[in-house]
Each structure stands twice: as C-alpha cells, then as structure tokens.
Amino acid sequence: MNGYLGIDVGSVSTNLVVINEEQNVITNLYLRTKGEPIKVVQQGLQDLKEEIPADLEIKGVGTTGSGRKLASVIVGADIVKNEITTHAIASSHQVPDVRTILEIGGQDSKIIILRDGIVVDFAMNTVCAAGTGSFLDQQAGRLQIPIEEFGDLALKSENDVRIAGRCSVFAESDMIHKQQLGHSVEDIINGLCQALVRNYLNNIGKGKDILGPIVFQGGVAANKGIKAAFAEALDTEIIVPENYDVMGALGSALLAQQKVAKTGTTNFKGWDSASLDYQPSSFECESCTNRCEVIEIYVEEELAARWGHRCHKWDMV
C-alpha cells in the first residue's frame, strides 16, 4: 500500500495527514506545537508509524504552515507550499465547487476566494489575534468552561448581547462588564461569537466577494456558535468539511502525490528521522544593508539547510 504524508506546522498546532492512492485519509494527527516544532514533528512521525498499516510505504511528503521549511528539513519533503495553496487544494478536493474558504486557526485567520477551482483573492490577519482559537481558549478558561462546550452554550442563548469584538482586550473587558450586568453565560458567549464573526468580515473579509458554497475550516470550525454566527451574518449555508482541522496537511499530502507522480521519486528520509538530533541556529548577515537573518539547521552536528537570505550568498551547493 502506498501513502502520502502532509505536515502543517503552525504556531499553535502541528497536523499530520496520511492519504492513500485514492486520496482517502488513512489517519491524521492534531498536536499542540507548544513552541517546540522540531520535537512535535518528530513525535508526530513516531505516532504515525504506530498508527498506519505495517505494509504502507510513504511515497511522497509535503509540508506547509509557518514551520514548513523546518519540517521539510526534518522529513525530506518533496514539495513545500504556503497555507493559501494547501488549504485551497484540500477544500476543492472535499467540496469541488467551493468559492469561499473561511479559515480560523490558533493564531491566524484567512479568507480565500476561488473561482472555478483557482485562487483569485485572499487575505490574512496581521498582528491581532482577536477571534482566533487562542483567544477563544483564553476566554473559555476564564469562564471555566471546556472549549468543547463553548459553541453548544452559544446555541442556547435566548437574548442578544452585543460584545465589542474589534480587539481581544476590549472584548474581554466588555464580556466582564456584561457579566456584572447580570447577563447569562450563554448570551455572553453567543454575543462573543457574533462579535468575532463581525470582526472577521469587517477586516479580513472587507471588500471580498463572498459567494457560496462557503467552506469553514481550521480548529475554530468545531465551534458551533461561530458557524451559526457566520450563517446568520452571510445568510447562507456554511459547510464544515470532515477534516476541517487538518486541511493544510491534507492539501500538502495531495500536492505531494501530484509531485511524485511527475518525478517518480521521493525525498522522504524515512521514519528514522524522528530520532535524529536537529539543532537550529541563526546569524545576521552584515554584507549589505538588508542585514538578513539567516537560519541554519544542523542534523547530527552537520549543516543541512539555510534560508532567510535575499541573495544567493548563503545558498548551499
């Protein structure tokens, strides 16, 4: 049996997906990055090896996410792509006629506009994490409510409570104020969900031609309150795909399959890469006014890769 591995390394989560030749998901992992991407990728490889069938052979690997280059060095990726591309590929695979993708992850949010399967526009959040998964986790913890129950409680709301959602600091202050006024937890949570959706559409979705079918993905797509708020604001059905929380990794696996079909070979280093010693380091190049920060990765004390430079001075031959 042949399989293809996709890895999405983000600031909050690291996701791994294995698909077969028929592009069906064999298994997937959703792990917390916890600021240790190397350690988590290696742990993910070890866990995958235990889960996949013994006769399955990895024929191709793709990486994406903010840590895609680092993951590529660890596993030996055949293709390295940004999140916009991989999310679009995965969504088009699961919902072929998708025209809008709403994606909210742990630290970032994005919107992707497709027409006839081609990305024609997109936008991402910049420095503010208001409305992302990490903010929702924080508020769930403050209210002492399991994040898994957050969305269900929002659906039980009976009264509209308007929460300021343009800033995470203001949103939290407003939630506390509404609690002090005596509003129920259900109404406050629902108000927060609606506020986060307003913030998303007024900032990331501003000026975008949002047409259905609309796919909602990323970890926050598990929140039924956010999904309902999007459906109400856009007055249309919101589709949450089966693998909503690992779509970047799924897209990477699909791209890896396409790439290997053309080349006939893979760069995958094998499962032993999970036990090797990887040491990152960096330095500031002073050769010009750009002063690029050059990242280096050593494998078993041997230089394996560099990136971050704008010119070719530090290219590895």
Side-chain angles (χ1 to χ4, degrees):
M1 183 188 300
N2 294 333
Y4 301 88
L5 170 62
I7 303 176
D8 181 0
V9 182
S11 56
V12 172
S13 69
T14 294
N15 311 319
L16 299 91
V17 167
V18 176
I19 63 172
N20 58 19
E21 289 283 7
E22 290 71 40
Q23 300 183 338
N24 298 316
V25 175
I26 298 174
T27 187
N28 68 80
L29 293 176
Y30 180 93
L31 306 172
R32 293 282 182 168
T33 305
K34 296 181 179 179
E36 297 183 297
I38 295 177
K39 181 179 178 180
V40 174
V41 169
Q42 290 184 298
Q43 182 62 54
L45 290 174
Q46 293 173 357
D47 293 346
L48 273 184
K49 186 179 179 181
E50 299 297 324
E51 289 193 13
I52 63 174
D55 62 342
L56 187 143
E57 182 179 357
I58 299 297
K59 288 292 188 178
V61 184
T63 62
T64 189
S66 57
R68 58 186 178 272
K69 291 184 179 179
L70 180 61
S72 173
V73 174
I74 296 173
V75 300
D78 299 293
I79 189 165
V80 181
K81 286 291 185 179
N82 61 59
E83 303 96 308
I84 301 299
T85 302
T86 54
H87 279 280
I89 289 291
S91 294
S92 296
H93 175 258
Q94 296 207 343
V95 184
D97 55 347
V98 58
R99 292 199 285 179
T100 305
I101 300 171
L102 314 175
E103 199 273 338
I104 305 180
Q107 288 284 2
D108 60 19
S109 304
K110 61 180 71 72
I111 187 170
I112 306 172
I113 307 298
L114 299 94
R115 296 294 182 265
D116 299 321
I118 298 173
V119 176
V120 296
D121 195 8
F122 70 91
M124 299 180 66
N125 68 331
T126 52
V127 295
C128 182
T132 60
S134 59
F135 175 64
L136 289 174
D137 280 344
Q138 178 187 358
Q139 296 311 310
R142 189 182 65 80
L143 294 171
Q144 298 184 343
I145 297 171
I147 188 62
E148 295 80 10
E149 300 177 11
F150 219 63
D152 292 323
L153 286 173
L155 298 181
K156 296 179 181 179
S157 172
E158 296 181 355
N159 301 293
D160 290 335
V161 175
R162 188 173 182 86
I163 302 293
R166 292 185 62 84
C167 170
S168 58
V169 175
F170 294 157
E172 181 171 338
S173 298
D174 206 19
M175 288 174 65
I176 294 172
H177 177 61
K178 294 301 192 295
Q179 283 181 283
Q180 293 170 337
L181 292 177
H183 291 286
S184 71
V185 171
E186 292 83 358
D187 291 342
I188 291 172
I189 291 175
N190 185 52
L192 176 63
C193 291
Q194 292 177 343
L196 299 186
V197 166
R198 283 198 308 272
N199 182 47
Y200 179 98
L201 295 175
N202 290 335
N203 289 278
I204 300 169
K206 185 176 182 180
K208 305 301 180 188
D209 190 17
I210 302 176
L211 301 175
I214 299 174
V215 169
F216 182 25
Q217 58 196 43
V220 176
N223 189 310
K224 297 178 182 178
I226 299 289
K227 178 188 175 184
F230 269 124
E232 180 180 347
L234 297 172
D235 192 26
T236 188
E237 178 189 7
I238 304 297
I239 302 169
V240 175
E242 180 180 358
N243 302 109
Y244 65 88
D245 55 343
V246 293
M247 295 292 272
L250 174 59
S252 294
L254 292 168
L255 287 170
Q257 183 184 28
Q258 295 175 15
K259 180 67 177 294
V260 172
K262 297 177 181 178
T263 63
T265 60
T266 180
N267 296 319
F268 181 48
K269 296 179 180 179
W271 302 111
D272 291 342
S273 58
S275 60
L276 298 177
D277 179 42
Y278 296 87
Q279 291 295 330
S281 64
S282 66
F283 64 90
E284 187 178 87
C285 177
E286 300 179 354
S287 298
C288 72
T289 56
N290 284 325
R291 302 185 74 86
C292 298
E293 181 184 11
V294 182
I295 310 299
E296 295 183 323
I297 298 294
Y298 289 82
V299 181
E300 299 292 334
E301 300 184 353
E302 182 177 343
L303 181 62
R306 286 197 190 103
W307 66 82
H309 45 286
R310 299 186 184 183
C311 68
H312 299 288
K313 178 176 182 178
W314 300 104
D315 285 355
M316 296 184 65
V317 179

